[in-house]
Amino acid sequence: MKKQQLVVIGNGMAGIRCVQNILQEDSNAFEISMFGSEPHTSYSRIMLSSVLQGDTSLSDITIRPYEWYKKNGIQLFTGETVIKINTKDKKLITDQNRIVKYDKLIVATGSTPFILPVDGADKDGVLSFRTIQDCERMMDAAEKHTKAVVIGGGLLGLEAARGLLNLGMKTHVVHISNYIMERQLDEQASLMLKEQLEEQGMNFLLEKESAEIFGEHRVEGIRFKDGTSIEADLVVMAVGVKPNVQLANEAGLATGRGILVNDKLETSAPDVFAVGECAEHRGRVYGLVQPLYEQGEVLAKHLCRKKNEGYKGSLLYTQLKISGVNVFSAGEIVPGEGTKAIQYLDESEAVYKKIFFKGNKAVGTVMFGDTKAGPQVLDAIEKNKVISPQDKPELLETPCPENSVAASQALDQSICTCNSVSKGEIIQAVQQGNLSSVEQVKEHTKASSSCGGCKPLVSDLLDYVRSEGFNESVVNEKPLCHCTSLTEDEVVEQIQLQNLSNVKEVMNQLGWIKREGCTTCRLALDYYLGMIHNQHKKWEEEMVFSEKQKAVLQHDGRYAVVPQLYGGELTIDQLKKITNVSERYNLSKLAVGADQRIHIFGINKKDLPEIWESLDMPLRSPYGNRVEPVKTNVGTHDCKCEKHKAQKLARNIERKTELLQTPYRVKMGISSCIHNGAGSTTKDFGAIKVDRTWEIYIGGSSGRNARKAQLLCVVEEDHQVEEMILGCLQYYRKSARYLERTWQWVDRLSLVHIREVLFNQELCEDLLQTLKEDMSLSKTSSP
């Protein structure tokens, strides 16, 4: 099927993150084109302050190099601006007269810096702080001039001022309010921050409103409305940003402060979406990085037709560190009706903590100096936790490492969402590299290297790893085989990201040591490619004899065939066919196997085609990892229970799974009563009729090391048994590793997680639909 054309206007942090998510969800869904007005590949705008402060270089803040776009088949146009969108004809025009058609369009035009409408704002030496060019101009100015004024005492203004101080300029911060960072801090925290920054050499002019910027050609100073003035060789305006909606307005999209979007990030025009700082959702425009990433994740799932709950808005929080000053802010920090607060203040140690409550729930917090309690308060706010009066003061206290939020998280849970770094990855890096600081973790894993909001969590995790109560182990996964250094998960990820479609391509692109691979990796890659690309053609398909699909080679050189008797039931007509074939070809050896099927032995290879034609029956495929015949307790007479329902379930499940490839051989059992005649509790998937309900089990094993299955759930209706088993089987097929047994899969994912997936009606329906599609493709491609 022809891929749809996806065009993204904007190559900034929101646009590139959304595209990354789309590639992870379905790398085959779109042909992607991206337009960026700046002459650069994507970079982290929030890291510009680190460049200005001398902590990192411009090359270090690149998000994705040009090679990444090429590898993923993305057409990138840098230094080219889209000037018109025609939503009726679904095409756009650029400033280079390029016309591009689209099927889906994402507008990620971000925001533009607000420039004060004062006389002299257009003079040389008056800059905003938004782009790489702005950063370079400020560094150039610092080499020739000495006096800088930053207009704006918010987060961006203070970071710019810190950078200019580091460049050797005498720096004043001008702010219209009576205290700095009033959007993130209360007055007490702001005062403490101001004192700390003044000690570092930063100067402040508060409650000042600019009247004009004076000078001949280049700026020489600023005059304020109260009649005072200050000299300046460089003026940096950091007074806020406004959503860039000009293009959207001209295209007729509905706008407010930003481009209006719903929970699916859809605009008012069909097939046009918006993410990032240009989007307005439920009356809010977001300027921090975390909401942008959350929007990108939701939109990617929607575009790739993956079910999700939509975007519900984001909880804003700020983690700021300027030259050793720690500040944390989250949620509601302005007292309102019904809001009460508890606080802690130690002026001698410069520590201030305050938590705002509405009733028994935390709704906001401000912390200065000691921010280690930040993650646990943020966790309480996000999860809407009910907190008793006696427990409220404990939120102010730094938790012991064993009780921290980082300690309670699962190993695969993300610590740094900006760079997708999990708790397990950080623990592994700490243990292998003997890391002891947040900076070292950042260098080795990139955690906290973007927005910095996860620094407290990373710090807590380090404390936890070093504590006596640390008892978690991170398995150092082995490579898939000796042909590669990549683990199975890494191979699967690269197949999806690079859209690799066959075994040879995987081996070539991922640098296989042994060019032809081995039996281990060839079979594993076949399986994973089959899961990712339903129509994947297997490695040895051309070399495999067709009889391998319908006959089993025996030790004496002859063959055996096994008619597929659904549910273990045999009709008179089928029995006659088996008898006639056996007599005609003098096949004296027949046996009823443990799979409750008749096995016909002693067949010569030359007779196979005629025997297949004479039997005219579905035959079991003996090769590969598949779902084996479902065992039932038909034929047992020591119990008078009604067996019809169990037999019907077995037949239905066999018909819907007989050709499916699985990570490992799958055994199933359906028992019609508590006597468990089918051994359902030692099968990979099993069901037992108990009174008026069915108990469903998963993860059992009847091998040498027998293992009892775990109870997944209890259902009442027969169709629920079928749906739950098939849904669970499909989730196993999609998320298990090659040759991973069901019990290993359950141990790795946890029974609770599997229940959460299957008990979600939308997710379960999606699994059943994809299984149906996989089965249909298997029937089409089977010999």
Side-chain angles (χ1 to χ4, degrees), residues 236-334:
V236 178
M237 289 199 186
V239 291
V241 294
K242 54 184 179 180
N244 186 359
V245 297
Q246 180 180 347
L247 183 64
N249 279 327
E250 293 172 355
L253 302 183
T255 60
R257 285 189 300 153
I259 304 170
L260 300 181
V261 296
N262 59 19
D263 289 0
K264 295 179 180 178
L265 286 309
E266 296 169 324
T267 69
S268 59
D271 295 320
V272 180
F273 307 84
V275 293
E277 293 176 310
C278 66
E280 180 180 342
H281 175 262
R282 298 186 183 182
R284 297 193 69 176
V285 175
Y286 297 95
L288 297 177
V289 66
Q290 185 59 30
L292 277 56
Y293 287 171
E294 291 171 0
Q295 291 173 4
E297 183 178 352
V298 169
L299 180 54
K301 288 183 180 295
H302 176 65
L303 289 175
C304 295
R305 300 181 181 180
K306 302 292 181 67
K307 292 183 179 179
N308 64 92
E309 296 180 354
Y311 179 63
K312 305 301 183 184
S314 299
L315 173 67
L316 299 182
Y317 65 93
T318 301
Q319 174 69 31
L320 172 67
K321 187 169 185 177
I322 299 180
S323 297
V325 181
N326 287 299
V327 177
F328 185 85
S329 170
E332 301 176 25
I333 61 168
V334 178

Side-chain angles (χ1 to χ4, degrees), residues 243-526:
N244 186 359
V245 297
Q246 180 180 347
L247 183 64
N249 279 327
E250 293 172 355
L253 302 183
T255 60
R257 285 189 300 153
I259 304 170
L260 300 181
V261 296
N262 59 19
D263 289 0
K264 295 179 180 178
L265 286 309
E266 296 169 324
T267 69
S268 59
D271 295 320
V272 180
F273 307 84
V275 293
E277 293 176 310
C278 66
E280 180 180 342
H281 175 262
R282 298 186 183 182
R284 297 193 69 176
V285 175
Y286 297 95
L288 297 177
V289 66
Q290 185 59 30
L292 277 56
Y293 287 171
E294 291 171 0
Q295 291 173 4
E297 183 178 352
V298 169
L299 180 54
K301 288 183 180 295
H302 176 65
L303 289 175
C304 295
R305 300 181 181 180
K306 302 292 181 67
K307 292 183 179 179
N308 64 92
E309 296 180 354
Y311 179 63
K312 305 301 183 184
S314 299
L315 173 67
L316 299 182
Y317 65 93
T318 301
Q319 174 69 31
L320 172 67
K321 187 169 185 177
I322 299 180
S323 297
V325 181
N326 287 299
V327 177
F328 185 85
S329 170
E332 301 176 25
I333 61 168
V334 178
E337 185 177 351
T339 303
K340 296 190 179 297
I342 60 172
Q343 67 181 45
Y344 169 85
L345 174 62
D346 183 346
E347 293 183 337
S348 64
E349 296 294 330
V351 174
Y352 172 66
K353 306 178 189 179
K354 190 172 186 177
I355 304 176
F356 298 87
F357 292 90
K358 283 186 178 179
N360 54 7
K361 296 179 180 178
V363 294
T365 184
V366 175
M367 297 183 184
F368 181 90
D370 178 7
T371 61
K372 280 189 170 292
Q376 70 176 4
V377 180
L378 180 63
D379 187 60
I381 297 171
E382 287 180 325
K383 295 179 179 177
N384 211 20
K385 289 183 177 179
V386 175
I387 303 164
S388 66
Q390 55 267 39
D391 290 336
K392 288 180 179 179
E394 292 184 6
L395 282 179
L396 292 171
E397 300 175 5
T398 301
C400 65
E402 294 87 345
N403 295 328
S404 66
V405 173
S408 66
Q409 291 181 323
L411 289 173
D412 61 352
Q413 191 167 345
S414 180
I415 295 289
C416 176
T417 54
C418 294
N419 297 295
S420 302
V421 185
S422 68
K423 173 183 174 180
E425 289 173 313
I426 293 175
I427 291 177
Q428 191 172 41
V430 169
Q431 292 176 329
Q432 292 180 350
N434 196 27
L435 311 182
S436 59
S437 68
V438 174
E439 287 301 312
Q440 288 176 327
V441 171
K442 180 170 72 174
E443 182 180 344
H444 282 76
T445 69
K446 296 194 74 176
S448 78
S449 65
S450 293
C451 74
C454 63
K455 281 183 179 178
L457 265 181
V458 176
S459 179
D460 285 353
L461 187 54
L462 277 172
D463 291 341
Y464 172 52
V465 173
R466 291 193 292 260
S467 70
E468 293 182 0
F470 177 72
N471 60 357
E472 298 186 57
S473 60
V474 180
V475 178
N476 188 9
E477 292 190 52
K478 296 179 180 179
L480 172 62
C481 67
H482 63 270
C483 301
T484 178
S485 60
L486 299 174
T487 66
E488 287 186 70
D489 289 345
E490 290 169 338
V491 170
V492 172
E493 181 182 23
Q494 290 304 313
I495 290 174
Q496 293 173 310
L497 290 177
Q498 299 188 38
N499 192 25
L500 306 178
S501 59
N502 59 64
V503 173
K504 288 185 178 180
E505 188 177 18
V506 172
M507 292 177 176
N508 290 336
Q509 291 294 322
L510 303 187
W512 240 242
I513 299 169
K514 188 176 178 182
R515 289 184 62 187
E516 296 299 316
C518 62
T519 54
T520 299
C521 61
R522 286 201 300 268
L523 292 171
L525 293 176
D526 260 337

